[in-house]
Each structure stands twice: as structure tokens, then as C-alpha cells.
């Protein structure tokens, strides 16, 4: 049966698509194209002179130890956010799946953090962990922990990881819960009769059946950690201390807007674009085509 | 190998009772079919034996042990589910070996048992396939293989054939009978299909509304239904039940459609006003009603010859030996 809608007029489909195309062109393709164009240019700090330099910006980037450090920081940051976000969400989803009474209330509450803007989430956690007035800091200091993320890079990293993970757990939770609920009850019962205890049932039956969901979330979470955490970082550490939390997207912003190095910043954006393209390819290749079982 | 004993078994979900006291001794090696309409509690009863539902009151014993407090894995049972419940990410071999691996059997023993079960069920060429690459009948066999390799004391079947098409169901029914003849394992089999119950059971339990209406051998149940419910549930089309009076008492007169014979008007016990005729080839089903106002009882007649008229009157008689009497108020059989 033919399900496609066929338009009789030639212009109507284009008219219907026009707003979406316009938004994409103006806010995505134009700036993206500009970034690529600028990445081949060198501009002075006042924007008076512009000079075409070819791949010079890229060469400078890969010889800059700060940029390479930012790569490492981003890798660590996104690894921590993706892994802890997925692990915590899976734990919560498994527990929520077993709750029968008041299940809806639990689920609704667990989904709320997703609606919080990244910057607000950042401020919230920064406040809890604030070196001078934070309630968590108070407890930590009482227990002999020298907590001051403003000065200590590891602690600053921990803070932005916690804030970013907290926001993303809700999203992961939704997918895991749906995944768990699509596993037929009788499979778990069959495994129980076969002699598998709860732990064994989880690792040999439930977890493998969730693997397509887990892989999908891994890619989505990495993309999230790469880009959408900008607000969290800008509202808390602003990349500091001493660049300890300066992930790639934040460095691109800082170099371009604050340090007025338009060419270098554009080159960083171009590299980020390549990373997104690579991640998207991975997602399409493995997630959409190859279901794991 | 074990007997299964039910003693006053009850089940309630919250305040809603679903099983109102069930007693039965299933003998060692016996094939018992629990049959009834949906919602009668037959699956719940089976799941209580499996340990998937808690027993609200009473006792279930498998072999010599009361199993009320035992986990499913400690009850020495295997279960075949309606939707097969195969592990989709494991191949046929993996599905069958899963329970054995967990029990820590040596690999050589696992391989031998899986190979033996695969041979019995004709699955040997399919061992490396995933469940999604199998047909419904093959999946059904794998589910049975998974139960066989465990060599349990009791097999539990929860409507195992109801997802198969009619032809395959007949074939699998025969294979199940054959399997039970070979293995002689105590089996409890739940179904809503009275034909499966009649053909497979050594004894059957007819359940209705959480109670066992009758427990007995299939032919005994067919010949002497204990209540109007059993009379209406076993046999197709069901037994005709016609209101009548006997010794000043309101009764229902039961006659099976196959026991009604067409005859001359003079010797007829009743006359059927024909509404519908269904020729089935081997025989013909005639549906109609008694009385002339359309308010009489509905009657079905199974004829061994073809019946030409689509409407009209069909005078019938029956042998008094084939007559069943039930109390109209309680629905229970009146013994003669």
C-alpha cells in the first residue's frame, strides 16, 4: 500500500519546509560555514586586518600544549559523565522497575532534573559545594576533607562531572526504564526457574537485552558531555582553575570571545564539527543498523 | 520423578480471592491437564507450583517436600511458557544449556544432555541459530528442550500450544504425548482448549471461578459431567441443556449433540426448529431451538448424514442412557 503523501502542487512542500530550512540555514549552516572560512584566516585583535593563512591555525593548535591538554580533559570529562550517568540511571531504572506502589511518583520525580537548564544545574551544585558557604563543603570539612574546587583542579573536575551527570541521569533513566519494561516478565521467570539468582539474571539476561539501549545512550551521553555541558562549566568553574575543566567547546568559546583569537577559535570549532560527524556516523552505523542480538 | 500434592491451596491478590481451596494428589509420572476458561485461576495454580506466585494458604508438596517457602530454582521443576520465553540473545544451544551451566554441571555432561534433547526434538541442525531465526514450532521445541535437559521432577506447561496454528498444534500435541510416554515425568499442563485436555490428559481438572468443578479421567468427565459448567465446557458443540420438570423438581436435561438422532414425528422426544446448518464434511451440525415461540432452549444436533433443509423442523430422539440430569438451582449433577 502506498503510504506516502503526494503533493499535487509543486511549491507547497517547499513552503511547508521553508521555516525549518530557514532556521537550519541561518543558525547552523551559515555560522558553520563562517567558522570554516575563518579557520583559514588570521585576524588582528581589533578586527581591522584579515589575512588568509591556510592551515596555519590548525598547525598552531596541534603544537599548543594547552589545546592538547584540553583534549585530554574533554576525554576524561566525557568518559566520567557518560559512564557515571549510565551506571546511576541503570541502577535507578532497575529499582524503579520493581516498584509497583507509587511507581508514577518516583518516575516523575526522577525525570524532573532533565527540565533544569544546564546553567541552573551548574549554579545549584556550585552553591552546594561552594568553598565558603556550601552545605556539602561544611560536611566535608567536618570530616577532614580539604574541599576547595576554586583552587584544586581535581575537585573542580569532580564538581562539573557531578552537575553534568545529575542532569543527564534523567534522560538515561527514561530510556532504561522503557527498555526494562519491554523485556517480557516470563524471560526473568524462566531464568529464575533455571536457577539464576537476581544478580545473575541481571548480568546474563537483562543487561545483554539492554545493550542496544546502553550503546545508544553511550553515544548520546558523549555528545552531551562534549557540547551541552557548556552551560554547566560557564556557570561554575569557567574552565578553571588553571584550565583544569576547560573542555574543547569551552576553550573554543574562550579563545574566540574572551581572547579575541577568531582564527584559532574557528579552527577549534571546525575540529569539533569533525568529532560530531564521526560520532553521528558511529551512531548510525552501529545503533540503527545493527541491533545487538 | 515425584508426586505433587495440593492441600487446601488458596490464593488471593489483595482482597480478591482467585483460588478457593484446591485439593489434589497428582501421582508420580501422571499427566494432569488443568482446563478452564480464562480467569478461572488455572495459570495461577500452575505458577504457585512453580514458585512464581506465593501461596496464600494451604500447602503444595513436590515429592516428599513441602515447597511453599522454596525458591523456584530449589523446587526441581521446569516450565514451558506460552510465549516460550526463550533468551533472544542466546542460540538454541545456549538456551538449553543456561540452566545446566548455572547449576555447575561439567561441560561434558552439559554437551551430552543438550545433544540428547536436540536429537529427541529434532533440533540438532538448529543448535547455532538464534530464537528469532526459528519458526513458531521450532521455538516451541527449544522451550521444551530447555525443560527436558534439566531432568526435573515435574514439568509445568502453561498453554504451550496456544501460539501455534491449528495444524501445528495437532502435531505438537502428538509429540507431547510421545515425549511423556518416553520420559514418564510428572506433568501439569494448563490450557483453555478442551480438545488438548481430552487428548493429552490421563486425568483432567476442570476449573471454574477458582474452584475445581471436576477431577477425573477425560472420558469419565465426558460421560458423567459433575455440573452444567463441565457439561457445557467439555465437548464441542457443548451439551444441550433443556429445562424440564422431574418429580416436581426443576431440572435441566442434558443430552450431547452426538446423541440426538433424527426420527419420525411419532417417536420423537422433542422437535428442533432449525436455525442454522453447518456441513463439516464428515458430519453436519444443526443448530436450532425447542418450542414454537422462539423462547425455547437452544439445541445443537450432530448428524452423521447430510441434512439438506436449511430451515424447518427436525424431530429427534435419544437413548435414555445418554440422558444427564442437573439441578437447575445449583447446576450440580443429580445421580440416578
Amino acid at each position: 500500500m502506498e503510504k506516502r503523501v503526494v503533493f499535487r502542487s509543486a511549491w507547497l512542500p517547499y513552503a511547508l519546509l521553508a521555516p525549518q530550512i530557514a532556521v537550519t540555514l541561518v543558525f547552523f549552516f551559515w555560522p558553520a560555514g563562517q567558522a570554516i572560512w575563518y579557520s583559514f584566516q588570521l585576524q588582528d585583535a581589533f578586527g581591522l586586518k584579515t589575512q588568509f593563512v591556510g592551515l596555519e591555525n590548525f598547525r598552531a593548535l596541534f603544537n599548543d600544549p594547552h589545546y592538547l591538554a584540553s583534549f585530554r580533559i574533554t576525554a576524561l570529562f566525557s568518559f566520567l559523565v557518560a559512564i557515571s550517568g549510565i551506571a546511576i540511571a541503570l541502577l535507578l531504572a532497575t529499582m524503579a522497575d520493581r516498584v509497583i506502589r507509587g511507581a508514577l511518583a518516583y518516575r516523575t520525580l526522577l525525570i524532573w532534573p532533565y527540565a533544569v537548564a544546564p546553567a541552573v544545574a551548574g549554579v545549584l551544585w556550585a552553591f552546594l559545594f561552594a568553598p565558603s558557604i556550601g552545605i556539602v563543603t561544611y560536611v566535608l570539612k567536618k570530616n577532614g576533607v580539604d574541599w576547595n574546587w576554586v583552587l584544586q583542579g581535581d575537585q573542580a573536575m569532580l564538581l562539573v562531572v557531578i552537575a553534568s551527570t545529575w542532569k543527564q541521569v534523567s534522560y538515561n533513566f527514561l530510556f532504561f526504564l522503557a527498555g526494562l519494561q519491554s523485556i517480557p516478565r516470563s524471560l526473568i521467570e524462566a531464568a529464575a526457574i533455571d536457577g539464576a539468582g537476581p544478580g545473575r539474571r541481571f548480568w546474563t539476561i537483562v543487561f545483554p537485552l539492554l545493550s542496544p539501549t546502553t550503546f545508544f545512550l553511550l553515544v548520546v551521553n558523549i555528545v552531551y558531555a562534549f557540547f551541552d555541558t557548556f552551560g554547566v562549566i560557564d556557570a561554575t568553574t569557567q574552565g578553571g582553575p588553571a584550565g583544569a575543566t576547560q573542555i574543547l567547546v569551552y576553550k573554543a568559546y574562550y579563545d574566540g570571545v574572551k581572547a579575541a583569537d577568531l582564527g584559532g577559535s574557528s579552527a577549534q570549532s571546525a575540529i569539533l564539527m569533525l568529532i560530531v560527524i564521526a560520532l553521528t556516523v558511529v551512531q548510525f552505523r552501529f545503533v540503527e543498523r545493527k541491533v545487538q542480538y | 520423578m515425584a508426586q505433587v500434592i495440593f492441600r487446601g491451596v488458596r490464593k488471593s491478590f489483595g482482597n480478591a480471592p482467585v483460588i478457593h481451596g484446591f485439593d489434589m494428589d497428582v501421582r508420580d509420572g501422571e499427566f494432569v491437564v488443568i482446563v478452564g476458561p480464562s480467569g478461572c485461576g488455572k495459570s495461577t495454580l500452575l505458577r504457585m507450583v512453580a514458585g512464581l506466585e506465593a501461596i496464600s494458604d494451604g500447602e503444595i508438596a513436590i515429592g516428599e517436600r513441602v515447597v511453599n517457602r522454596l525458591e523456584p530454582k530449589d523446587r526441581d521443576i521446569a516450565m514451558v511458557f506460552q510465549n516460550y520465553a526463550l533468551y533472544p540473545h542466546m542460540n538454541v544451544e545456549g538456551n538449553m544449556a543456561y540452566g545446566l551451566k548455572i547449576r555447575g554441571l561439567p561441560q561434558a555432561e552439559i554437551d551430552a544432555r543438550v545433544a540428547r534433547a536436540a536429537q529427541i526434538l529434532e533440533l540438532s541442525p538448529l543448535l547455532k541459530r538464534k530464537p528469532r531465526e526459528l519458526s513458531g514450532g521450532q521455538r516451541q521445541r527449544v522451550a521444551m528442550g530447555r525443560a527436558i535437559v534439566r531432568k526435573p521432577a515435574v514439568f509445568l506447561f502453561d498453554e504451550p500450544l496456544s501460539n501455534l496454528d491449528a495444524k501445528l498444534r495437532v502435531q505438537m500435541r502428538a509429540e507431547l504425548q510421545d515425549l511423556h510416554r518416553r520420559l514418564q515425568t510428572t506433568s501439569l499442563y494448563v490450557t483453555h482448549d478442551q480438545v488438548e485436555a481430552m487428548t493429552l490428559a490421563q486425568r483432567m481438572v476442570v476449573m471454574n471461578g477458582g474452584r475445581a468443578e471436576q477431577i477425573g479421567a477425560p472420558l469419565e468427565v465426558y460421560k458423567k459431567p459433575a455440573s452444567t459448567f463441565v457439561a457445557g465446557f467439555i465437548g464441542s458443540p457443548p451439551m444441550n441443556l433443556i429445562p424440564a420438570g422431574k418429580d416436581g423438581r426443576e431440572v435441566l436435561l442434558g443430552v450431547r449433540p452426538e446423541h440426538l438422532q433424527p426420527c419420525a414425528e411419532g417417536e420423537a422426544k422433542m422437535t428442533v426448529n432449525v436455525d442454522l446448518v453447518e456441513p463439516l464434511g464428515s458430519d453436519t451440525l444443526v443448530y436450532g431451538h425447542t418450542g414454537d415461540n422462539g423462547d425455547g432452549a437452544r439445541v445443537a444436533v450432530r448428524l452423521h448424514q447430510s441434512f439438506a433443509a436449511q430451515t424447518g423442523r427436525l424431530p429427534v430422539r435419544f437413548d435414555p442412557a445418554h440422558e444427564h440430569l442437573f439441578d437447575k438451582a445449583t447446576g450440580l449433577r443429580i445421580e440416578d
Side-chain angles (χ1 to χ4, degrees), chain B residues 214-237:
Chain B
Q214 188 168 9
I215 300 176
L219 284 179
E220 183 187 318
V221 173
Y222 176 82
K223 283 183 183 153
K224 279 196 159 189
S227 65
T228 49
F229 174 80
V230 179
F233 196 78
I234 303 298
S236 174

PDB file of all heavy atoms in Angstrom, chain B residues 214-237:
ATOM      1  N   GLN B 214     -14.544 -30.439  38.591  1.00  0.00           N
ATOM      2  CA  GLN B 214     -14.483 -31.896  38.482  1.00  0.00           C
ATOM      3  C   GLN B 214     -13.046 -32.319  38.218  1.00  0.00           C
ATOM      4  O   GLN B 214     -12.315 -31.658  37.481  1.00  0.00           O
ATOM      5  CB  GLN B 214     -15.381 -32.376  37.332  1.00  0.00           C
ATOM      6  CG  GLN B 214     -15.533 -33.885  37.278  1.00  0.00           C
ATOM      7  CD  GLN B 214     -16.629 -34.335  36.329  1.00  0.00           C
ATOM      8  OE1 GLN B 214     -17.176 -33.534  35.578  1.00  0.00           O
ATOM      9  NE2 GLN B 214     -16.952 -35.610  36.370  1.00  0.00           N
ATOM     10  N   ILE B 215     -12.643 -33.430  38.844  1.00  0.00           N
ATOM     11  CA  ILE B 215     -11.335 -34.016  38.592  1.00  0.00           C
ATOM     12  C   ILE B 215     -11.568 -35.461  38.182  1.00  0.00           C
ATOM     13  O   ILE B 215     -12.250 -36.205  38.884  1.00  0.00           O
ATOM     14  CB  ILE B 215     -10.441 -33.973  39.856  1.00  0.00           C
ATOM     15  CG1 ILE B 215     -10.244 -32.524  40.309  1.00  0.00           C
ATOM     16  CG2 ILE B 215      -9.099 -34.648  39.592  1.00  0.00           C
ATOM     17  CD1 ILE B 215      -9.461 -32.364  41.594  1.00  0.00           C
ATOM     18  N   GLY B 216     -11.044 -35.835  37.031  1.00  0.00           N
ATOM     19  CA  GLY B 216     -11.256 -37.213  36.616  1.00  0.00           C
ATOM     20  C   GLY B 216     -10.615 -37.509  35.287  1.00  0.00           C
ATOM     21  O   GLY B 216     -10.093 -36.604  34.623  1.00  0.00           O
ATOM     22  N   ALA B 217     -10.669 -38.779  34.868  1.00  0.00           N
ATOM     23  CA  ALA B 217     -10.157 -39.167  33.554  1.00  0.00           C
ATOM     24  C   ALA B 217     -11.016 -38.499  32.487  1.00  0.00           C
ATOM     25  O   ALA B 217     -12.213 -38.287  32.709  1.00  0.00           O
ATOM     26  CB  ALA B 217     -10.186 -40.674  33.415  1.00  0.00           C
ATOM     27  N   PRO B 218     -10.435 -38.174  31.324  1.00  0.00           N
ATOM     28  CA  PRO B 218     -11.187 -37.422  30.305  1.00  0.00           C
ATOM     29  C   PRO B 218     -12.530 -38.052  29.933  1.00  0.00           C
ATOM     30  O   PRO B 218     -13.541 -37.354  29.902  1.00  0.00           O
ATOM     31  CB  PRO B 218     -10.234 -37.411  29.117  1.00  0.00           C
ATOM     32  CG  PRO B 218      -8.881 -37.507  29.709  1.00  0.00           C
ATOM     33  CD  PRO B 218      -9.021 -38.350  30.942  1.00  0.00           C
ATOM     34  N   LEU B 219     -12.537 -39.348  29.700  1.00  0.00           N
ATOM     35  CA  LEU B 219     -13.791 -39.961  29.264  1.00  0.00           C
ATOM     36  C   LEU B 219     -14.827 -39.996  30.380  1.00  0.00           C
ATOM     37  O   LEU B 219     -16.025 -39.868  30.130  1.00  0.00           O
ATOM     38  CB  LEU B 219     -13.540 -41.371  28.724  1.00  0.00           C
ATOM     39  CG  LEU B 219     -12.915 -41.375  27.328  1.00  0.00           C
ATOM     40  CD1 LEU B 219     -12.673 -42.785  26.845  1.00  0.00           C
ATOM     41  CD2 LEU B 219     -13.781 -40.595  26.327  1.00  0.00           C
ATOM     42  N   GLU B 220     -14.350 -40.146  31.606  1.00  0.00           N
ATOM     43  CA  GLU B 220     -15.231 -40.126  32.764  1.00  0.00           C
ATOM     44  C   GLU B 220     -15.895 -38.748  32.878  1.00  0.00           C
ATOM     45  O   GLU B 220     -17.084 -38.628  33.138  1.00  0.00           O
ATOM     46  CB  GLU B 220     -14.353 -40.432  33.972  1.00  0.00           C
ATOM     47  CG  GLU B 220     -15.040 -40.544  35.298  1.00  0.00           C
ATOM     48  CD  GLU B 220     -13.973 -40.672  36.393  1.00  0.00           C
ATOM     49  OE1 GLU B 220     -12.984 -41.414  36.174  1.00  0.00           O
ATOM     50  OE2 GLU B 220     -14.105 -39.998  37.421  1.00  0.00           O
ATOM     51  N   VAL B 221     -15.076 -37.689  32.663  1.00  0.00           N
ATOM     52  CA  VAL B 221     -15.609 -36.328  32.722  1.00  0.00           C
ATOM     53  C   VAL B 221     -16.609 -36.123  31.590  1.00  0.00           C
ATOM     54  O   VAL B 221     -17.662 -35.522  31.772  1.00  0.00           O
ATOM     55  CB  VAL B 221     -14.469 -35.293  32.639  1.00  0.00           C
ATOM     56  CG1 VAL B 221     -15.008 -33.879  32.535  1.00  0.00           C
ATOM     57  CG2 VAL B 221     -13.554 -35.417  33.850  1.00  0.00           C
ATOM     58  N   TYR B 222     -16.293 -36.675  30.426  1.00  0.00           N
ATOM     59  CA  TYR B 222     -17.172 -36.524  29.274  1.00  0.00           C
ATOM     60  C   TYR B 222     -18.483 -37.266  29.502  1.00  0.00           C
ATOM     61  O   TYR B 222     -19.562 -36.750  29.196  1.00  0.00           O
ATOM     62  CB  TYR B 222     -16.455 -37.079  28.035  1.00  0.00           C
ATOM     63  CG  TYR B 222     -17.285 -37.074  26.775  1.00  0.00           C
ATOM     64  CD1 TYR B 222     -17.407 -35.926  26.015  1.00  0.00           C
ATOM     65  CD2 TYR B 222     -17.934 -38.229  26.364  1.00  0.00           C
ATOM     66  CE1 TYR B 222     -18.160 -35.928  24.860  1.00  0.00           C
ATOM     67  CE2 TYR B 222     -18.697 -38.241  25.210  1.00  0.00           C
ATOM     68  CZ  TYR B 222     -18.811 -37.092  24.451  1.00  0.00           C
ATOM     69  OH  TYR B 222     -19.563 -37.084  23.320  1.00  0.00           O
ATOM     70  N   LYS B 223     -18.370 -38.466  30.061  1.00  0.00           N
ATOM     71  CA  LYS B 223     -19.575 -39.293  30.224  1.00  0.00           C
ATOM     72  C   LYS B 223     -20.413 -38.875  31.416  1.00  0.00           C
ATOM     73  O   LYS B 223     -21.618 -39.046  31.417  1.00  0.00           O
ATOM     74  CB  LYS B 223     -19.168 -40.762  30.378  1.00  0.00           C
ATOM     75  CG  LYS B 223     -18.794 -41.394  29.048  1.00  0.00           C
ATOM     76  CD  LYS B 223     -18.463 -42.853  29.214  1.00  0.00           C
ATOM     77  CE  LYS B 223     -18.033 -43.446  27.886  1.00  0.00           C
ATOM     78  NZ  LYS B 223     -17.127 -44.590  28.090  1.00  0.00           N
ATOM     79  N   LYS B 224     -19.752 -38.396  32.471  1.00  0.00           N
ATOM     80  CA  LYS B 224     -20.501 -38.030  33.681  1.00  0.00           C
ATOM     81  C   LYS B 224     -20.074 -36.657  34.164  1.00  0.00           C
ATOM     82  O   LYS B 224     -19.431 -36.530  35.202  1.00  0.00           O
ATOM     83  CB  LYS B 224     -20.231 -39.058  34.778  1.00  0.00           C
ATOM     84  CG  LYS B 224     -21.040 -40.320  34.653  1.00  0.00           C
ATOM     85  CD  LYS B 224     -20.990 -41.075  35.969  1.00  0.00           C
ATOM     86  CE  LYS B 224     -22.175 -42.034  36.058  1.00  0.00           C
ATOM     87  NZ  LYS B 224     -22.265 -42.626  37.400  1.00  0.00           N
ATOM     88  N   PRO B 225     -20.418 -35.602  33.438  1.00  0.00           N
ATOM     89  CA  PRO B 225     -20.031 -34.252  33.907  1.00  0.00           C
ATOM     90  C   PRO B 225     -20.691 -33.970  35.252  1.00  0.00           C
ATOM     91  O   PRO B 225     -21.861 -34.280  35.446  1.00  0.00           O
ATOM     92  CB  PRO B 225     -20.545 -33.325  32.814  1.00  0.00           C
ATOM     93  CG  PRO B 225     -21.512 -34.114  32.015  1.00  0.00           C
ATOM     94  CD  PRO B 225     -21.192 -35.566  32.192  1.00  0.00           C
ATOM     95  N   ALA B 226     -19.904 -33.406  36.170  1.00  0.00           N
ATOM     96  CA  ALA B 226     -20.389 -33.203  37.534  1.00  0.00           C
ATOM     97  C   ALA B 226     -21.310 -32.006  37.660  1.00  0.00           C
ATOM     98  O   ALA B 226     -21.994 -31.858  38.660  1.00  0.00           O
ATOM     99  CB  ALA B 226     -19.204 -33.046  38.476  1.00  0.00           C
ATOM    100  N   SER B 227     -21.279 -31.111  36.656  1.00  0.00           N
ATOM    101  CA  SER B 227     -22.118 -29.920  36.750  1.00  0.00           C
ATOM    102  C   SER B 227     -22.451 -29.424  35.345  1.00  0.00           C
ATOM    103  O   SER B 227     -21.868 -29.876  34.365  1.00  0.00           O
ATOM    104  CB  SER B 227     -21.382 -28.816  37.529  1.00  0.00           C
ATOM    105  OG  SER B 227     -20.245 -28.419  36.790  1.00  0.00           O
ATOM    106  N   THR B 228     -23.386 -28.480  35.291  1.00  0.00           N
ATOM    107  CA  THR B 228     -23.749 -27.915  33.991  1.00  0.00           C
ATOM    108  C   THR B 228     -22.555 -27.190  33.379  1.00  0.00           C
ATOM    109  O   THR B 228     -22.388 -27.151  32.175  1.00  0.00           O
ATOM    110  CB  THR B 228     -24.923 -26.924  34.117  1.00  0.00           C
ATOM    111  OG1 THR B 228     -24.624 -26.026  35.173  1.00  0.00           O
ATOM    112  CG2 THR B 228     -26.212 -27.636  34.402  1.00  0.00           C
ATOM    113  N   PHE B 229     -21.669 -26.618  34.252  1.00  0.00           N
ATOM    114  CA  PHE B 229     -20.494 -25.926  33.711  1.00  0.00           C
ATOM    115  C   PHE B 229     -19.598 -26.897  32.948  1.00  0.00           C
ATOM    116  O   PHE B 229     -19.190 -26.638  31.821  1.00  0.00           O
ATOM    117  CB  PHE B 229     -19.692 -25.237  34.822  1.00  0.00           C
ATOM    118  CG  PHE B 229     -18.408 -24.650  34.306  1.00  0.00           C
ATOM    119  CD1 PHE B 229     -18.419 -23.427  33.657  1.00  0.00           C
ATOM    120  CD2 PHE B 229     -17.222 -25.359  34.392  1.00  0.00           C
ATOM    121  CE1 PHE B 229     -17.255 -22.904  33.132  1.00  0.00           C
ATOM    122  CE2 PHE B 229     -16.048 -24.843  33.866  1.00  0.00           C
ATOM    123  CZ  PHE B 229     -16.070 -23.609  33.235  1.00  0.00           C
ATOM    124  N   VAL B 230     -19.322 -28.051  33.568  1.00  0.00           N
ATOM    125  CA  VAL B 230     -18.464 -29.052  32.922  1.00  0.00           C
ATOM    126  C   VAL B 230     -19.145 -29.568  31.663  1.00  0.00           C
ATOM    127  O   VAL B 230     -18.517 -29.722  30.607  1.00  0.00           O
ATOM    128  CB  VAL B 230     -18.148 -30.220  33.889  1.00  0.00           C
ATOM    129  CG1 VAL B 230     -17.293 -31.259  33.200  1.00  0.00           C
ATOM    130  CG2 VAL B 230     -17.459 -29.699  35.138  1.00  0.00           C
ATOM    131  N   ALA B 231     -20.452 -29.795  31.748  1.00  0.00           N
ATOM    132  CA  ALA B 231     -21.204 -30.291  30.592  1.00  0.00           C
ATOM    133  C   ALA B 231     -21.093 -29.311  29.433  1.00  0.00           C
ATOM    134  O   ALA B 231     -20.979 -29.701  28.275  1.00  0.00           O
ATOM    135  CB  ALA B 231     -22.661 -30.495  30.981  1.00  0.00           C
ATOM    136  N   GLY B 232     -21.104 -28.017  29.759  1.00  0.00           N
ATOM    137  CA  GLY B 232     -21.038 -27.003  28.712  1.00  0.00           C
ATOM    138  C   GLY B 232     -19.626 -26.759  28.216  1.00  0.00           C
ATOM    139  O   GLY B 232     -19.425 -26.256  27.115  1.00  0.00           O
ATOM    140  N   PHE B 233     -18.598 -27.116  29.036  1.00  0.00           N
ATOM    141  CA  PHE B 233     -17.228 -26.787  28.665  1.00  0.00           C
ATOM    142  C   PHE B 233     -16.549 -27.910  27.896  1.00  0.00           C
ATOM    143  O   PHE B 233     -15.763 -27.651  26.989  1.00  0.00           O
ATOM    144  CB  PHE B 233     -16.419 -26.455  29.925  1.00  0.00           C
ATOM    145  CG  PHE B 233     -15.144 -25.741  29.634  1.00  0.00           C
ATOM    146  CD1 PHE B 233     -15.153 -24.387  29.337  1.00  0.00           C
ATOM    147  CD2 PHE B 233     -13.948 -26.426  29.600  1.00  0.00           C
ATOM    148  CE1 PHE B 233     -13.990 -23.719  29.029  1.00  0.00           C
ATOM    149  CE2 PHE B 233     -12.768 -25.755  29.285  1.00  0.00           C
ATOM    150  CZ  PHE B 233     -12.789 -24.408  29.004  1.00  0.00           C
ATOM    151  N   ILE B 234     -16.848 -29.150  28.265  1.00  0.00           N
ATOM    152  CA  ILE B 234     -16.205 -30.295  27.616  1.00  0.00           C
ATOM    153  C   ILE B 234     -17.121 -30.818  26.523  1.00  0.00           C
ATOM    154  O   ILE B 234     -18.287 -31.101  26.763  1.00  0.00           O
ATOM    155  CB  ILE B 234     -15.893 -31.412  28.645  1.00  0.00           C
ATOM    156  CG1 ILE B 234     -15.017 -30.868  29.776  1.00  0.00           C
ATOM    157  CG2 ILE B 234     -15.261 -32.604  27.970  1.00  0.00           C
ATOM    158  CD1 ILE B 234     -13.667 -30.365  29.342  1.00  0.00           C
ATOM    159  N   GLY B 235     -16.586 -30.964  25.337  1.00  0.00           N
ATOM    160  CA  GLY B 235     -17.390 -31.391  24.199  1.00  0.00           C
ATOM    161  C   GLY B 235     -17.692 -30.200  23.306  1.00  0.00           C
ATOM    162  O   GLY B 235     -17.865 -29.090  23.787  1.00  0.00           O
ATOM    163  N   SER B 236     -17.678 -30.450  21.991  1.00  0.00           N
ATOM    164  CA  SER B 236     -17.929 -29.357  21.061  1.00  0.00           C
ATOM    165  C   SER B 236     -18.793 -29.863  19.912  1.00  0.00           C
ATOM    166  O   SER B 236     -18.417 -30.815  19.253  1.00  0.00           O
ATOM    167  CB  SER B 236     -16.610 -28.831  20.512  1.00  0.00           C
ATOM    168  OG  SER B 236     -16.841 -27.882  19.515  1.00  0.00           O
ATOM    169  N   PRO B 237     -19.970 -29.278  19.668  1.00  0.00           N
ATOM    170  CA  PRO B 237     -20.607 -28.232  20.473  1.00  0.00           C
ATOM    171  C   PRO B 237     -20.941 -28.744  21.869  1.00  0.00           C
ATOM    172  O   PRO B 237     -20.999 -29.949  22.063  1.00  0.00           O
ATOM    173  CB  PRO B 237     -21.873 -27.912  19.687  1.00  0.00           C
ATOM    174  CG  PRO B 237     -21.823 -28.668  18.422  1.00  0.00           C
ATOM    175  CD  PRO B 237     -20.795 -29.696  18.531  1.00  0.00           C
TER     176      PRO B 237
END
